[in-house]
Amino acid sequence: MCQVTVGQTDGATGGGSEGRSRGQDSLSWSPHTGTCRGQIHLDSRLDSHPDSQLGALRNMSRVVESEDDNSQLIGQDKKLDLSYGSITMDAAAAAAEQPGDGNTFSDGTTRVDFVLVWEEPLDSDKEEGDNPVHKKWRETFLTKLRRSGLLDEQRELIQSKNRIRFMLLSAPWEVLCYYAEEISLRVPLQVVNSCNVNWSAKMLQSLSLPNLFQQDVPNPPPDFYTCQFRSNKLERFLGGEDKDTFFKTTQRHQVVYEILARTPYGSVKRGEVGIDRLLNEKVFSAAYPLHEGPFERPDPPVPPESLRLRQVLYSYWAQWSCWTRYQPLDHIREYFGEKIALYFAWLGFYTGWLLPASVVGTVVFIVGFWLVATDIPAKEVCESGGEFVMCPLCNICSAWNYSSICVTFKAGLLFDNGGTVFFSVFMSLWAVTFLEYWKRTCCTLAHRWDCSEFEESEERPRPEFAAMAPMTVRNPVTGAEEPYFPEKTRLNRTLTGCMVIVLMVVVVLMFLIAVILYRTILGIVIYKSRNAFVSVSASRIASISGSVLNLLVILMLSRVYVSLAHILTRWEMHRTQTKYEDMFILKVFIFQFINFYSSPIYVAFFKGRFVGYPGHYNTLFGVRNEECGAGGCLIQLAQELLVIMVGKQLINNVQEFVVPKLKAWWQRQKLRQKSADGEAPAELGRPWESDYELLVCDGLLSEYLEMVIQFGFITIFVAACPLAPLFALINNWVEIRLDAQKFVAEYRRPVVERAQDIGIWFPILQFITHVAVLSNAFLIAFTSSFLPRLYYRYTRDANLSGYINFTLATSPASQNPDHETCRYRALRDQHGHYLPEYFQLLAIRLSFVIIFEHVVFFIGNLIDMMVPDVPEEVEMKIKREHYMAKQALAENQSLGELWPREDKVQAGDLRQRRPKSSATDSVSPDLGNIAEEAEP
């Protein structure tokens, strides 16, 4: 038992129920005697709040087997032998098959929950890497960690120039119990006997088709009804009799990281708090929890049931041969936590929904070949000869024959045909339906993983916010003192951040204008070269090279802005980690939206719109405005999409495949330098040394951002490129395997983070979906030739004979001294004035936009109404879990089993009510009768 002396200090700055560390706190733990002694000074204003830090600390020192809680609420079946901290149904048998993972102190029993690493030079004369200030901070930090109750053991690795020190940390039982209440860890009440089947499996089962995606993954983690941990109710939780396995490994990591994140090492007012700041200051080289053994299968082979969780994930998830299989989401959640598991769940769900979209898009593209072969206007262009002499595309260019673009014109029809309209409507409805069904899936997963109410009631303030907030305020719901940052100050900081975002957007637009001028000038330079080979394709070469240059500018600006967004968001002082990440993601997305989509938007809606006409051309900085290429703007938009979207995917996949391996190789080379005596060191076999070779996990921002930008490409501009969903599907199949390999084999194990959903990414996806509807409507109406062809078909000729001549205007004779006229694409007369057909067609286009978006939004809202956000069975489970949690935490409980196990009762069972025997029974019921009536 941990003996604790509680003291009181007046005038302590900071404070609140967040467990803020103070300089006079002291708590030491002795692994030899099994006791911890010390003194903890608490803020005087906490004394009046029984649910504050003082009350929690008293719970920590309370004997668990208290007399007032000797009744066991949950009647456990003796045949059920589940370990909450293990993924195997028979942990003892599995342990006998393989040796231990080695994640223990030198005593062989104390588990290593976290590792801190720093490097020191062997030569004491050298000061680099051993800064006195850093050394002082490190010593202060480690001292306060010991006072917080953590156990520690130091190991070291000697190299030729450096000494690498590893500080192994472990949380004893009393510390785990205290912080488990502080951070609202959830522990099991009862096993849930339910089968988890996804939507595609249900669909294939209903169609009586074999499911080729199914695989049997060993050691599925059991599912539980859970509630928040209370140390004085330990006997009422499932597995509470075994303190070694009661808390999962990931929960132990969470507790230790909470202590690391809130422990100060200097001035709290200057933000000198927490391990993250120390890592940024290079005081520590690394801080990470350990992986559970190696990821490779053991040799000789063992039964699948004896594999550790990391080995299961590598064999049944990260291997390339698993690309056609369902992801083991419960295993991923058990090892990496809910936040990472939700990302892979969303990515798998999104990839599955891309399959029908890619099939429809490919069919539309193939149909385009048949339309090209039978298209009358295409034949007119190819057979026109010298009939249509076109005006020069630049000031120094010469006239050209329209028949010279025969191949380009036909290629444009592959992306610009009647099927484009159908596919645009299909993709708009696809996006709406995809998001609606993801909400249902996310709700199911959140409940299954005990995160349904995380953001509303369980999420605590960020440790950095709790330490740096200048004041506290009483929570109107809980009554506890919580750190507070003035809203007016935060608003001013947020407005300042918005101004920086606007400035960066202006920078992006400046680069866009520079790329536009580059394309125009390069086209002129190539044409002036008089090289017969390149002069013919001057416009095409300038367009493709401009797209590539734009991609490079995008990638360069992205790196700069992400770093800037980190600084701004941290400065804004958001209370919770979810709010912090949401605001950071929003900043990055606004910038990336402009960065990635500005060039396609320009090509789709602005290029060629403000050119003027022969003799009256408009200019930008003295340079004539760009016209659409010979094949039209839609094929140039398709080219821009393919270069940016596919090029970005290729670059990212190469980076994700090659860069981590190169970094890991370089890290191993540095760690395996020759030792001080000139001999090569032995292999780094100890777990903390092996994991130090791995790369740091940078989080999920780049992964989500890549997929969301891709989602925008396949929805906002899908009218220009029906093959975009197919390219996205192929990329995502590769992306899942690459990400899985990184997390399992190449990254250090990240600290588990809980999450209720994918966060602000879902509203962003909804925003993209609405933008996509409007974008596709304007693309079809103003950029595509669909409506002009339809107008000509119903007003002139049903076979489209003469359509090419209809779309070409004749230049004014006064613009050429030789009085030779030329043709250009417009609906103007010989004086440059718009024809009546232009205004009629403009009205049709605007009407189409209004009708298109109203129909799609109406059907989308209808789908939203028809598909409930929460499945009915999940609603029932949530109500049942709330009832069970209320009963488990109640102070006044009767003996016996107050509710039946799930395998004994089914929803909807009807029972006859027992009549009350007498008025006395109704006033003072017997406890034994209550327990008897609770039995089914």
Side-chain angles (χ1 to χ4, degrees):
M1 178 180 172
C2 182
Q3 299 178 3
V4 183
T5 302
V6 180
Q8 176 175 314
T9 60
D10 293 323
T13 59
S17 63
E18 310 309 320
R20 194 169 309 173
S21 301
R22 294 170 178 84
Q24 298 182 5
D25 296 354
S26 65
L27 178 65
S28 59
W29 171 266
S30 173
H32 305 292
T33 63
T35 61
C36 66
R37 300 178 182 274
Q39 186 174 18
I40 295 182
H41 295 272
L42 300 178
D43 199 324
S44 59
R45 60 175 172 263
L46 297 179
D47 292 345
S48 60
H49 307 302
D51 295 331
S52 66
Q53 190 178 25
L54 180 58
L57 190 56
R58 287 170 177 164
N59 287 338
M60 184 180 78
S61 62
R62 186 180 303 169
V63 179
V64 174
E65 293 82 4
S66 58
E67 295 179 359
D68 60 329
D69 291 319
N70 55 1
S71 62
Q72 186 169 348
L73 183 62
I74 304 173
Q76 298 184 31
D77 195 339
K78 297 299 182 182
K79 296 181 181 180
L80 185 61
D81 186 16
L82 290 174
S83 173
Y84 186 55
S86 173
I87 64 160
T88 59
M89 302 300 288
D90 191 351
E97 296 288 344
Q98 291 195 67
D101 55 19
N103 297 353
T104 59
F105 283 13
S106 55
D107 58 11
T109 57
T110 305
R111 294 289 299 176
V112 178
D113 296 321
F114 227 88
V115 180
L116 303 180
V117 187
W118 70 94
E119 300 184 12
E120 298 175 350
L122 289 177
D123 189 353
S124 59
D125 295 334
K126 295 183 178 180
E127 290 298 327
E128 66 270 10
D130 194 20
N131 190 302
V133 177
H134 288 182
K135 187 176 181 180
K136 179 182 177 182
W137 283 349
R138 184 165 55 241
E139 291 175 352
T140 303
F141 187 74
L142 295 177
T143 300
K144 292 194 176 185
L145 290 182
R146 296 185 186 98
R147 292 176 180 174
S148 68
L150 293 182
L151 309 180
D152 66 286
E153 183 174 280
Q154 190 172 139
R155 302 290 185 89
E156 64 180 31
L157 177 66
I158 305 298
Q159 293 184 317
S160 59
K161 297 181 179 180
N162 294 331
R163 175 188 290 109
I164 303 177
R165 294 191 182 272
F166 298 90
M167 179 63 72
L168 312 183
L169 302 176
S170 179
W173 172 252
E174 288 79 6
V175 173
L176 288 172
C177 289
Y178 171 61
Y179 280 97
E181 292 193 27
E182 278 284 291
I183 63 178
S184 303
L185 289 184
R186 299 184 70 90
V187 289
L189 290 170
Q190 185 182 23
V191 177
V192 180
N193 298 318
S194 60
C195 182
N196 301 317
V197 183
N198 57 41
W199 64 272
S200 60
K202 291 180 181 178
M203 182 181 67
L204 293 174
Q205 185 178 4
S206 63
L207 298 176
S208 300
L209 296 176
N211 192 347
L212 302 178
F213 308 109
Q214 192 70 44
Q215 67 172 338
D216 293 326
V217 184
N219 305 332
D223 190 13
F224 300 99
Y225 286 125
T226 64
C227 73
Q228 294 182 10
F229 174 76
R230 292 292 182 268
S231 59
N232 62 336
K233 310 292 183 184
L234 181 63
E235 290 184 350
R236 299 177 181 176
F237 299 125
L238 193 63
E241 69 281 352
D242 190 349
K243 297 179 180 179
D244 293 333
T245 60
F246 179 71
F247 290 109
K248 295 190 294 184
T249 303
T250 52
Q251 290 179 325
R252 298 176 67 95
H253 297 166
Q254 286 178 274
V255 166
V256 178
Y257 181 76
E258 181 73 14
I259 298 173
L260 293 173
R262 65 167 61 174
T263 301
Y265 58 88
S267 172
V268 175
K269 293 183 179 180
R270 292 197 297 266
E272 295 173 349
V273 178
I275 187 62
D276 292 333
R277 179 74 179 270
L278 289 171
L279 290 173
N280 292 333
E281 298 285 350
K282 307 299 182 184
V283 177
F284 289 99
S285 303
Y288 51 89
L290 293 177
H291 280 291
E292 298 175 11
F295 61 87
E296 302 95 343
R297 279 178 175 261
D299 190 19
V302 298
E305 293 76 15
S306 300
L307 296 175
R308 294 194 184 92
L309 184 49
R310 190 184 184 194
Q311 294 168 335
V312 169
L313 290 174
Y314 186 76
S315 302
Y316 294 89
W317 179 46
Q319 296 279 17
W320 288 100
S321 57
C322 301
W323 70 276
T324 58
R325 303 296 184 182
Y326 291 133
Q327 299 183 92
L329 295 178
D330 288 327
H331 295 72
I332 299 170
R333 178 250 180 173
E334 187 77 10
Y335 195 75
F336 292 111
E338 291 80 10
K339 190 171 187 177
I340 292 177
L342 278 172
Y343 162 70
F344 282 105
W346 176 81
L347 180 57
F349 188 84
Y350 170 48
T351 304
W353 274 70
L354 278 176
L355 188 58
S358 61
V359 170
V360 175
T362 304
V363 170
V364 170
F365 183 75
I366 293 174
V367 169
F369 284 97
W370 176 78
L371 295 176
V372 168
T374 59
D375 190 65
I376 299 299
K379 291 182 180 179
E380 291 182 353
V381 171
C382 296
E383 297 173 359
S384 62
E387 179 180 356
F388 303 114
V389 178
M390 304 298 294
C391 296
L393 295 177
C394 64
N395 293 333
I396 64 171
C397 301
S398 59
W400 51 285
N401 289 324
Y402 205 38
S403 59
S404 63
I405 66 164
C406 174
V407 176
T408 307
F409 189 89
K410 288 184 175 181
L413 290 178
L414 295 176
F415 303 97
D416 185 6
N417 53 66
T420 301
V421 181
F422 163 76
F423 192 54
S424 298
V425 176
F426 173 83
M427 286 302 297
S428 299
L429 298 178
W430 172 90
V432 173
T433 310
F434 159 71
L435 294 181
E436 287 302 317
Y437 275 92
W438 165 249
K439 280 196 291 189
R440 290 172 57 87
T441 302
C442 183
C443 181
T444 303
L445 291 175
H447 175 260
R448 196 164 92 205
W449 295 342
D450 308 317
C451 296
S452 298
E453 301 176 353
F454 172 67
E455 294 179 9
E456 289 83 357
S457 60
E458 299 177 23
E459 188 173 19
R460 297 180 55 78
R462 290 189 306 125
E464 185 179 9
F465 175 86
M468 297 181 63
M471 58 186 68
T472 61
V473 67
R474 187 183 300 276
N475 189 312
V477 178
T478 65
E481 289 282 333
E482 293 185 351
Y484 176 75
F485 193 83
E487 291 296 331
K488 184 177 180 181
T489 306
R490 180 184 290 115
L491 178 61
N492 293 336
R493 294 187 177 191
T494 304
L495 292 176
T496 304
C498 292
M499 296 302 296
V500 176
I501 294 174
V502 172
L503 181 62
M504 291 301 298
V505 168
V506 172
V507 172
V508 173
L509 296 179
M510 290 173 60
F511 274 100
L512 174 63
I513 295 174
V515 172
I516 293 172
L517 295 176
Y518 163 83
R519 279 198 295 253
T520 304
I521 296 173
L522 182 64
I524 296 173
V525 171
I526 293 176
Y527 186 82
K528 288 180 66 176
S529 65
R530 299 301 178 182
N531 188 318
F533 179 75
V534 297
S535 295
V536 178
S537 305
S539 178
R540 191 176 303 113
I541 294 173
S543 179
I544 295 176
S545 62
S547 300
V548 174
L549 177 62
N550 185 57
L551 174 62
L552 297 177
V553 170
I554 286 172
L555 297 177
M556 179 189 68
L557 290 178
S558 299
R559 290 184 174 274
V560 174
Y561 186 75
V562 169
S563 301
L564 181 61
H566 263 299
I567 298 173
L568 289 174
T569 310
R570 186 169 177 267
W571 181 59
E572 290 171 2
M573 290 291 292
H574 297 285
R575 180 178 178 273
T576 63
Q577 185 66 22
T578 299
K579 187 66 175 177
Y580 174 89
E581 292 180 356
D582 286 350
M583 296 307 297
F584 171 68
I585 290 169
L586 183 61
K587 289 183 181 64
V588 174
F589 174 74
I590 290 174
F591 173 77
Q592 297 289 41
F593 185 88
I594 303 297
N595 200 12
F596 278 97
Y597 299 145
S598 57
S599 183
I601 288 175
Y602 164 74
V603 174
F605 304 117
F606 297 99
K607 187 175 181 180
R609 297 287 186 271
F610 311 102
V611 177
Y613 59 93
H616 298 84
Y617 288 115
N618 299 322
T619 60
L620 176 65
F621 300 117
V623 179
R624 178 176 154 182
N625 288 350
E626 274 191 305
E627 287 192 58
C628 292
C633 278
L634 205 63
I635 189 173
Q636 290 191 9
L637 177 60
Q639 167 196 298
E640 192 85 4
L641 289 180
L642 292 176
V643 169
I644 296 178
M645 175 182 165
V646 179
K648 177 179 178 294
Q649 291 177 351
L650 288 175
I651 291 174
N652 286 341
N653 287 335
V654 169
Q655 286 180 340
E656 292 183 11
F657 182 76
V658 176
V659 173
K661 296 186 181 300
L662 292 177
K663 287 183 177 179
W665 174 82
W666 179 247
Q667 181 81 347
R668 287 193 297 269
Q669 292 301 115
K670 289 195 300 181
L671 290 178
R672 296 177 181 179
Q673 295 172 357
K674 288 186 177 182
S675 59
D677 56 4
E679 296 181 0
E683 283 293 314
L684 303 180
R686 292 178 291 189
W688 43 88
E689 296 173 351
S690 300
D691 285 7
Y692 188 50
E693 292 181 339
L694 303 179
L695 304 177
V696 179
C697 178
D698 295 327
L700 296 172
L701 171 68
S702 59
E703 313 296 343
Y704 269 119
L705 186 62
E706 180 183 355
M707 292 297 104
V708 170
I709 293 296
Q710 179 198 90
F711 181 82
F713 279 127
I714 69 170
T715 53
I716 296 177
F717 306 106
V718 72
C721 188
L723 291 179
L726 177 62
F727 290 121
L729 176 65
I730 296 172
N731 173 80
N732 289 6
W733 272 334
V734 176
E735 182 74 21
I736 292 176
R737 299 281 81 76
L738 289 177
D739 288 346
Q741 288 186 357
K742 286 191 304 183
F743 277 95
V744 174
E746 296 171 357
Y747 281 164
R748 294 171 190 159
R749 190 175 185 178
V751 180
V752 166
E753 294 184 65
R754 299 187 67 200
Q756 184 174 332
D757 46 38
I758 61 174
I760 200 173
W761 292 114
F762 186 80
I764 288 174
L765 291 171
Q766 289 181 313
F767 167 75
I768 290 177
T769 301
H770 286 81
V771 172
V773 175
L774 298 176
S775 173
N776 286 312
F778 278 96
L779 270 175
I780 296 171
F782 289 93
T783 307
S784 170
S785 62
F786 172 75
L787 289 183
R789 284 171 174 253
L790 199 64
Y791 173 79
Y792 187 85
R793 190 186 297 275
Y794 284 98
T795 59
R796 305 294 175 88
D797 191 295
N799 295 325
L800 295 179
S801 297
Y803 173 76
I804 296 299
N805 186 57
F806 169 75
T807 60
L808 299 179
T810 303
S811 64
S814 59
Q815 65 94 20
N816 195 313
D818 299 330
H819 301 286
E820 294 180 0
T821 59
C822 57
R823 309 297 295 271
Y824 62 101
R825 285 189 293 270
L827 294 176
R828 295 176 182 266
D829 57 21
Q830 291 189 352
H831 302 287
H833 301 146
Y834 285 115
L835 295 172
E837 288 83 351
Y838 169 82
F839 297 100
Q840 295 173 6
L841 191 55
L842 179 62
I844 293 173
R845 283 170 166 164
L846 294 175
S847 302
F848 175 84
V849 170
I850 296 173
I851 295 173
F852 182 93
E853 58 95 7
H854 272 71
V855 169
V856 173
F857 281 138
F858 172 76
I859 299 177
N861 290 333
L862 195 62
I863 294 173
D864 189 7
M865 294 172 57
M866 294 174 61
V867 180
D869 294 346
V870 182
E872 184 178 356
E873 60 272 17
V874 174
E875 284 187 355
M876 186 63 64
K877 288 183 178 181
I878 291 175
K879 292 178 181 178
R880 176 171 174 78
E881 187 167 26
H882 284 174
Y883 169 75
M884 294 176 65
K886 179 180 178 181
Q887 295 291 84
L889 299 181
E891 290 293 341
N892 186 14
Q893 294 291 351
S894 62
L895 298 177
E897 185 179 11
L898 294 192
W899 62 80
R901 296 199 316 272
E902 192 170 293
D903 56 353
K904 292 185 179 180
V905 64
Q906 298 293 333
D909 285 351
L910 299 178
R911 289 181 174 80
Q912 185 123 14
R913 295 185 59 182
R914 295 186 181 183
K916 298 179 181 178
S917 58
S918 65
T920 306
D921 293 337
S922 63
V923 174
S924 179
D926 182 66
L927 293 177
N929 289 338
I930 293 180
E932 181 181 351
E933 289 185 10
E935 287 289 331

